[in-house]
Amino acid sequence: MPEQRRTGEHVGYEEELQSERDYVAGLYARLDAERARVKAAYQAALGGTGETVMDRDNEVRARHREMKRLNVADYGLCFGRLDSVDGDVSYIGRIGLFDEFDDFEPVLLDWRAPAARPFYTATGANAEGMRRRRQFLTRRRAVTSFTDEVFGKLGEEQGDAALLEALNAPRGEGMRDIVATIQSEQDAIIRLDHPGVLVIEGGPGTGKTVVALHRVAYLMYTQRERMERHGVLVVGPNPAFLNHISRVLPSLGESDVVFSTAGSLLPGLNAVLEDTPEVARLKGSLKMVDVLKAAVADRQRLPESPIPITMKDVVVQITADVAEWARQEARDSGLPHNEARKVFREIITYVLTERALGRIGKGWLSRSDKQGWEDMRSGLVKELADDENFAAALDSMWPVVSPSDLLGSLYTSVERLAAAGASESLHRVDGEAWTVSDVPLLDELHDLLGRDGSEQAADQALSAERQAEARYAAEVLDSMINRADHMDDEDHLFATDMMEAEELAERFEQHDQRTLVERAMADRGWTYRHVVVDEAQELSEMDWRVLMRRCPGRSFTVVGDLAQRRSPAGATSWGSMLDPYVPGRWEYRSLTVNYRTPAEIMAVAAQVLAEFAPDVTAPESVRANGVQPWARQVTLESLPAEIASFERTEAGLEGTSVVIGPHGLPGVVLAAETKGLEYDSVLVVAPERILAEGPRGAAELYVALTRATQRLGVLHLEPLPAALSGLAETVRT
């Protein structure tokens, strides 16, 4: 533990508070000075101090990352301190700061540093060499108060004060980080040293999402070099959820993170439509891999009758047996469909030219005349390459197709669905009305089909352009060197001449100027060092194939709650989804304490949980707030006025609110759209209709009830369901 400050004799609270304020003010002064230094270095890098374009760009990016790291610490820079039994004091904060005049001793420990761990894990039973933990309550840059937890001293443990203040505070627009109030069971998961897949399961309000995000921040701190080049992917259930959590990692100084839904994992596509439960179940099954392979193979067709091709006034035919040979060779190549077309074409071309040569050269061209034979073959090959009939014949037997073309045409054809062994229930009129369940199928087809002609042509054109630019730069440099070699003594080659030549060459260094996030989002083939999957119980087998492609290293943090699963294609167990990819390489951890939902509300939600998942234990709430949830029966006609009354009341209070209800009711939000979110006040409308919406209706109601952090009300149109019998009925006065 670095020695930063020695504790003295006990002084009064106000004097000690002022002392802490002075120390934290000194940290902010140091932070501001560090910001000014990094900003100056950043501006110098922009001015071009590096040796090459790439050096300068790397310097600019490094300084920019450092500026962002320092900027996140403007508020809540320091949130506590640790006093050891030896009298050493360490201050804990969002980032680390060092004293450059004292061998760079830390004056503020980054919360992720090993020495900071006791701040979260020390207990009265295991103090880990600590005497006291102090937690600061702050407003902007000022320390307003503090609480002490003295280990081993009965009556002085007040460690829950900061936690309870954070839990009772009104919710804002987005999720807040918990860096100042991480609890011991959460910290153990955040710092877990496991290289594979970590599954974090917990009921509503247990903090599993925010724990996963802090784990990402911890990994990016401890494995910076490995992580920063490829970044992290965070997958969430819907855009509202991603917006809700998007501030957490930046607030911890980490920005190389891509946020995506399952429907937007393909560049240029953002699917939000949902299939019917049965269709979603079919599309999510691994059996769809065989369907897609069969659909691709169905495009590799043999001619029903010979196709005549004219060359040099000789007509030759593409027969079924020749096409079958070519097809088998192309399939055996192991190349994706579009790229295997080259093999198919080469076989067909070989057979046709051989047959044409046999007829054209008969009687006057000897096989021993190899040069004459090859010259004639080259001419025939060129003729075929320019022949529109030959191109049309190839397209009829082995067309170049895109994933969207193939899948869209599959859905619109009952015959093609049957040929691929797919259910007729997948048939639809608009083949390209993409749903979330279509995205993994399109992604699979990218691998099965490979690049189409336009993509290959674009790659070739770009490569040719770069080669031409590089040759030009090399020629300029050569000319400058030759000029120097042939100079007379009176001639001069100025240093600036060589610099200009070098700068010209640097212009052709192809270096992508986009940020990591921009590059990753535009590249379907981008792979990440780590992937976080939230609400993971909703992902299908096909979804997991997509994610495994995105992370070849199989480094995942998987967050979910099987009891809240609503998708028929989702997970019924974690092993069923993960064992095919990481057998023996995934760890399971559970969170059991509910930090969001007051005990009064959780008691109601637990009754619903018992109805549909009797084997699952509801998480235990860490607090009660004394506010009882209520229910009231209303009519359909009076419902809009009741909702309006609720919204008016909440508008006058601090915090956030939401109205959750079933499909078909105006002015409500579906429970599925609030997964992972939290609100100070929740009004649940027509719970009986939510329960009646399908086999997972009870799970939907459970989600709706557990979004509230302070207040819960229920308006029901029919008699109150038995699962909600714990609610107190109220009458509007």
Side-chain angles (χ1 to χ4, degrees):
M1 179 72 65
E3 181 176 335
Q4 300 166 5
R5 180 179 168 192
R6 290 278 180 176
T7 58
E9 296 298 321
H10 178 73
V11 293
Y13 178 85
E14 290 301 326
E15 291 86 348
E16 187 73 5
L17 176 59
Q18 186 58 51
S19 175
E20 300 293 21
R21 285 171 172 165
D22 292 343
Y23 190 86
V24 173
L27 293 177
Y28 275 111
R30 194 179 297 271
L31 173 68
D32 292 339
E34 183 70 2
R35 278 177 175 165
R37 184 190 66 79
V38 173
K39 184 177 180 180
Y42 175 71
Q43 291 173 336
L46 287 175
T49 59
E51 295 182 358
T52 68
V53 171
M54 185 174 292
D55 289 337
R56 289 197 295 271
D57 185 62
N58 288 338
E59 178 72 6
V60 168
R61 290 188 179 189
R63 297 303 180 186
H64 187 253
R65 280 196 300 269
E66 183 69 4
M67 286 172 60
K68 288 166 63 174
R69 183 185 78 88
L70 295 173
N71 285 339
V72 303
D74 206 41
Y75 300 136
L77 171 64
C78 176
F79 46 78
R81 89 178 204 189
L82 278 171
D83 297 8
S84 75
V85 293
D86 296 327
D88 295 336
V89 175
S90 295
Y91 285 82
I92 315 298
R94 291 180 177 277
I95 63 173
L97 292 175
F98 303 88
D99 187 346
E100 64 273 24
F101 301 111
D102 187 14
D103 295 327
F104 284 90
E105 280 293 309
V107 293
L108 181 66
L109 283 176
D110 190 301
W111 67 275
R112 296 166 288 191
R117 182 169 186 168
F119 184 77
Y120 301 109
T121 59
T123 65
N126 180 17
E128 300 185 35
M130 297 298 113
R131 185 179 68 84
R132 176 172 60 185
R133 171 169 46 227
R134 173 167 290 176
Q135 292 177 294
F136 298 142
L137 300 178
T138 62
R139 185 177 298 276
R140 296 186 177 274
R141 286 187 165 206
V143 176
T144 58
S145 62
F146 66 79
T147 60
D148 282 345
E149 184 177 358
V150 180
F151 301 115
K153 200 167 184 180
L154 189 63
E156 291 199 30
E157 297 191 4
Q158 304 174 34
D160 288 340
L163 173 64
L164 291 176
E165 176 163 323
L167 297 179
N168 287 317
R171 267 38 181 185
E173 291 301 316
M175 178 180 282
R176 297 168 294 187
D177 64 63
I178 59 169
V179 63
T181 57
I182 294 171
Q183 300 301 292
S184 180
E185 71 165 358
Q186 297 171 330
D187 185 79
I189 293 173
I190 290 169
R191 299 175 193 262
L192 183 66
D193 183 17
H194 178 66
V197 177
L198 173 63
V199 176
I200 306 174
E201 184 164 28
T206 52
K208 51 189 179 294
T209 296
V210 75
V211 166
L213 296 176
H214 282 68
R215 175 169 169 77
V216 168
Y218 176 76
L219 292 175
M220 296 184 82
Y221 174 82
T222 57
Q223 304 176 27
R224 179 72 62 192
E225 186 174 347
R226 187 181 77 87
M227 302 278 280
E228 67 180 0
R229 286 193 175 184
H230 288 257
V232 172
L233 172 66
V234 177
V235 180
N238 54 59
F241 173 82
L242 293 179
N243 183 61
H244 179 65
I245 69 171
S246 63
R247 299 175 181 84
V248 174
L249 283 168
S251 76
L252 299 172
E254 306 300 343
S255 57
D256 290 338
V257 181
V258 173
F259 293 90
S260 176
T261 64
S264 57
L265 284 170
L266 278 177
L269 179 61
N270 184 24
V272 296
L273 298 176
E274 297 276 359
D275 283 302
T276 64
E278 176 59 19
V279 171
R281 183 187 65 79
L282 290 172
K283 290 181 180 179
S285 169
L286 282 180
K287 294 177 182 177
M288 284 302 298
V289 175
D290 293 332
V291 169
L292 296 177
K293 288 180 178 178
V296 172
D298 187 51
R299 295 300 188 95
Q300 302 162 357
R301 302 210 167 180
L302 305 179
E304 295 180 359
S305 59
I307 302 174
I309 303 293
T310 301
M311 294 189 298
K312 297 286 187 185
D313 298 326
V314 173
V315 177
V316 291
Q317 294 181 330
I318 304 176
T319 57
D321 61 327
V322 171
E324 186 173 17
W325 173 33
R327 182 173 71 176
Q328 194 58 51
E329 289 290 332
R331 288 176 175 176
D332 291 345
S333 72
L335 295 169
H337 169 86
N338 289 334
E339 296 166 39
R341 174 183 160 113
K342 180 180 178 182
V343 178
F344 182 82
R345 178 182 182 134
E346 287 174 349
I347 299 295
I348 299 293
T349 298
Y350 170 78
V351 172
L352 294 185
T353 54
E354 277 291 305
R355 290 179 177 179
L357 281 169
R359 296 181 187 180
I360 295 170
K362 188 176 182 180
W364 64 273
L365 183 63
S366 170
R367 286 273 183 181
S368 62
D369 183 3
K370 293 184 179 179
Q371 186 60 50
W373 200 267
E374 287 306 315
D375 288 345
M376 184 171 287
R377 181 191 298 278
S378 295
L380 292 173
V381 170
K382 185 177 185 305
E383 184 179 347
L384 276 180
D386 296 333
D387 189 296
E388 293 182 358
N389 291 331
F390 182 59
L394 288 176
D395 288 341
S396 68
M397 295 180 292
W398 198 286
V400 173
V401 289
S402 69
S404 57
D405 288 341
L406 189 141
L407 191 59
S409 61
L410 177 67
Y411 287 151
T412 57
S413 171
V414 174
E415 292 75 17
R416 281 181 171 161
L417 285 169
S423 169
E424 189 175 331
S425 62
L426 298 183
H427 179 265
R428 67 188 186 207
V429 176
D430 185 353
E432 297 191 11
W434 304 123
T435 66
V436 175
S437 301
D438 289 328
V439 173
L441 308 186
L442 290 166
D443 193 74
E444 189 79 27
L445 285 170
H446 272 278
D447 277 4
L448 294 176
L449 295 174
R451 295 174 302 165
D452 61 28
S454 62
E455 292 172 319
Q456 295 177 39
D459 287 347
Q460 292 170 359
L462 180 60
S463 177
E465 181 182 356
R466 289 180 175 177
Q467 290 173 10
E469 291 171 342
R471 283 195 299 270
Y472 175 66
E475 289 169 2
V476 172
L477 286 174
D478 287 343
S479 69
M480 300 297 287
I481 293 171
N482 290 335
R483 179 183 163 194
D485 290 342
H486 295 89
M487 277 183 174
D488 295 330
D489 291 340
E490 294 181 358
D491 294 329
H492 299 282
L493 179 64
F494 292 103
T496 53
D497 295 328
M498 289 302 295
M499 288 173 60
E500 288 174 0
E502 290 174 358
E503 287 174 0
L504 180 64
E506 286 181 4
R507 284 173 51 195
F508 301 116
E509 289 184 13
Q510 298 298 320
H511 195 56
D512 199 329
Q513 299 296 313
R514 296 172 297 172
T515 66
L516 181 145
V517 171
E518 290 169 337
R519 286 179 285 137
M521 292 182 70
D523 185 358
R524 182 256 166 189
W526 188 276
T527 57
Y528 298 88
R529 284 292 180 262
H530 192 76
V531 176
V532 176
V533 189
D534 210 318
E535 299 294 343
Q537 73 278 356
E538 307 297 347
L539 269 59
S540 69
E541 293 174 316
M542 291 300 295
D543 288 323
W544 280 107
R545 284 178 68 87
V546 178
L547 295 177
M548 292 296 169
R549 289 190 196 100
R550 301 297 190 271
C551 189
R554 305 294 194 256
S555 179
F556 283 76
T557 299
V558 177
V559 181
D561 180 10
L562 294 177
Q564 294 186 60
R565 178 180 65 86
R566 59 181 290 270
S567 171
T572 55
S573 72
W574 299 117
S576 64
M577 293 299 183
L578 299 175
D579 285 341
Y581 304 102
V582 285
R585 284 193 58 222
W586 63 276
E587 292 279 339
Y588 176 87
R589 294 291 186 274
S590 64
L591 292 169
T592 59
V593 178
N594 188 327
Y595 297 99
R596 175 202 300 147
T597 317
E600 294 86 349
I601 296 176
M602 200 60 217
V604 176
Q607 282 188 287
V608 175
L609 178 66
E611 288 285 321
F612 72 96
D615 297 332
V616 178
T617 302
E620 183 178 355
S621 295
V622 75
R623 67 190 171 104
N625 67 353
V627 180
Q628 293 298 325
W630 55 266
R632 182 165 60 249
Q633 186 166 5
V634 297
T635 65
L636 188 59
E637 292 74 21
S638 66
L639 184 59
E642 294 281 355
I643 293 176
S645 175
F646 168 80
E647 292 174 340
R648 283 194 303 271
T649 300
E650 291 300 323
L653 302 174
E654 275 194 287
T656 58
S657 63
V658 69
V659 180
I660 304 176
H663 289 85
L665 284 182
V668 305
V669 175
L670 300 179
E673 298 172 3
T674 67
K675 295 197 76 169
L677 306 182
E678 57 184 27
Y679 306 86
D680 291 88
S681 185
V682 172
L683 180 66
V684 177
V685 175
E688 67 280 4
R689 293 192 181 184
I690 297 176
L691 287 171
E693 284 189 340
R696 302 301 299 174
E700 297 280 86
L701 181 56
Y702 181 59
V703 169
L705 295 171
T706 53
R707 298 309 94 194
T709 66
Q710 302 292 344
R711 303 175 294 279
L712 171 69
V714 173
L715 297 176
H716 52 106
L717 303 175
E718 306 295 333
L720 196 65
L724 296 178
S725 59
L727 281 170
E729 286 279 1
T730 65
V731 178
R732 177 169 290 283
T733 58

